[in-house]
Amino acid sequence: MTDRRRINGPPSGTRPPVFASSIKSTSVTTSERPQRQRQPNELRKIYLKTGLIPSASGSSYLEFEPSASLSAARASPKSLIPPSSALKLACTVHGPKPLPRSATFSPNLVLTTHVKYAPFAARKRKGHIRDASERDLGVHLETALRGVIVAERWPKSGLDITITILEAEDDRWWGDAPDSHDAPWGMMNVLAGCITAASAAIVDARIDCLDLVAGGVAAVVCDESADGEAAAPKLVLDTDPAEHRSILSACVVAYMPARDEITEIWLKGDTSKASVGGDDKNLAHEALIDGAVAAARGAHTVLAEAVRESAERFAGLLMAENSA
């Protein structure tokens, strides 16, 4: 039966289609690809704010600054299609709260994570029901946070973490062939942002943790040289899939700097063809993981500043209540 109470959007993509007649030549299309303006070890600026949703126990909002090429394209647009996308997401934490009476006894805190794309967040429109990719992100996020929260402090209690992705990283540039990036590389940036935002929201909810956990991404990319030929693979931090012609492998980690521990790692791709970290394949894997850890350390500085502002705001509220 058709749901007449909801006006569903079109099932196709949310961005304008690209017609073959609008593409003049391959060289012109290639020149319009966004180019990375940052150094290989330079991260994008992160905006992180806590306490934006009063109805939740803790909340946070995270946004990545768009690349310089994207800002220039917005200043002087040549096409209606944006060359790249940014990352914007909101996280809410509800709990700790008592479990239902029908639930089995649990001596530890029961953690539940829920990651959902907004219908307009990605190039391909998302449905109202979570798909496999969203469920995978929820599982990775739960694994990353389970090793951080002191779960034995709250027996017979539950904690719900919900993340809404308002804008997601594209897996490839719109001018590439449909099978150019056969793997969803943008999901790795989304997971790193979810880990950082969830850690800030958990601290904003005043839940005891072992340490702040931050997410970081590193990838081995293969770009085109000045003469149009494929250049040697190189390791870059905080990658934007739309800025690179080919991505060989990528890694995302959830890292706790104070304890020097990794609670979650997701490595995808083939580093055997990459000459980073030496000729040995194991050394290439180690270089990729070390790059992701370095990216997580950079995100941790922003996370620590946001947590400090949250603590100062909470202390100010307590002083106001005591004085009243």
Side-chain angles (χ1 to χ4, degrees), residues 19-55:
F19 299 97
S21 59
S22 63
I23 301 177
K24 299 179 180 180
S25 62
T26 306
S27 60
V28 175
T29 305
T30 305
S31 63
E32 294 178 357
R33 176 191 295 274
Q35 300 295 329
R36 182 184 176 99
Q37 306 295 331
R38 298 172 285 125
Q39 297 296 326
N41 59 348
E42 184 180 355
L43 307 179
R44 287 175 290 183
K45 293 183 179 179
I46 302 176
Y47 175 81
L48 182 60
K49 185 70 174 179
T50 59
L52 298 180
I53 303 177
S55 60

Side-chain angles (χ1 to χ4, degrees), residues 33-251:
R33 176 191 295 274
Q35 300 295 329
R36 182 184 176 99
Q37 306 295 331
R38 298 172 285 125
Q39 297 296 326
N41 59 348
E42 184 180 355
L43 307 179
R44 287 175 290 183
K45 293 183 179 179
I46 302 176
Y47 175 81
L48 182 60
K49 185 70 174 179
T50 59
L52 298 180
I53 303 177
S55 60
S57 303
S59 61
S60 64
Y61 173 78
L62 182 140
E63 180 177 345
F64 281 5
E65 182 189 34
S67 59
S69 59
L70 179 57
S71 302
R74 289 176 176 174
S76 59
K78 297 181 180 179
S79 174
L80 295 176
I81 306 173
S84 177
S85 62
L87 179 64
K88 302 180 181 69
L89 55 89
C91 177
T92 58
V93 173
H94 297 275
K97 54 186 179 181
L99 292 175
R101 304 188 65 176
S102 59
T104 58
F105 173 79
S106 176
N108 299 323
L109 180 70
V110 178
L111 178 63
T112 304
T113 57
H114 186 97
V115 179
K116 186 70 182 71
Y117 284 82
F120 50 83
R123 190 182 300 273
K124 184 178 179 181
R125 189 177 180 88
K126 296 287 186 177
H128 297 281
I129 302 176
R130 289 197 305 168
D131 56 8
S133 62
E134 294 167 337
R135 289 192 294 268
D136 290 343
L137 288 175
V139 172
H140 283 290
L141 179 62
E142 181 180 355
T143 305
L145 300 178
R146 192 176 296 278
V148 179
I149 300 175
V150 185
E152 57 270 15
R153 297 278 180 90
W154 293 275
K156 300 184 295 182
S157 301
L159 184 67
D160 297 334
I161 300 177
T162 304
I163 292 183
T164 303
I165 302 172
L166 304 176
E167 185 176 355
E169 292 276 1
D170 288 333
D171 296 331
R172 54 186 173 83
W173 182 50
W174 63 266
D176 291 332
D179 56 349
S180 59
H181 286 183
D182 55 350
W185 303 108
M187 285 180 56
M188 310 193 83
N189 290 335
V190 171
L191 177 60
C194 290
I195 294 172
T196 305
S199 179
I202 290 173
V203 175
D204 186 57
R206 308 297 181 261
I207 298 176
D208 295 342
C209 300
L210 297 176
D211 189 13
L212 296 176
V213 59
V217 180
V220 178
V221 301
C222 183
D223 296 330
E224 294 181 354
S225 59
D227 54 358
E229 297 181 357
K234 62 180 179 179
L235 177 67
V236 295
L237 308 184
D238 191 15
T239 57
D240 185 355
E243 296 178 345
H244 305 286
R245 183 184 64 86
S246 176
I247 300 179
L248 302 179
S249 60
C251 177

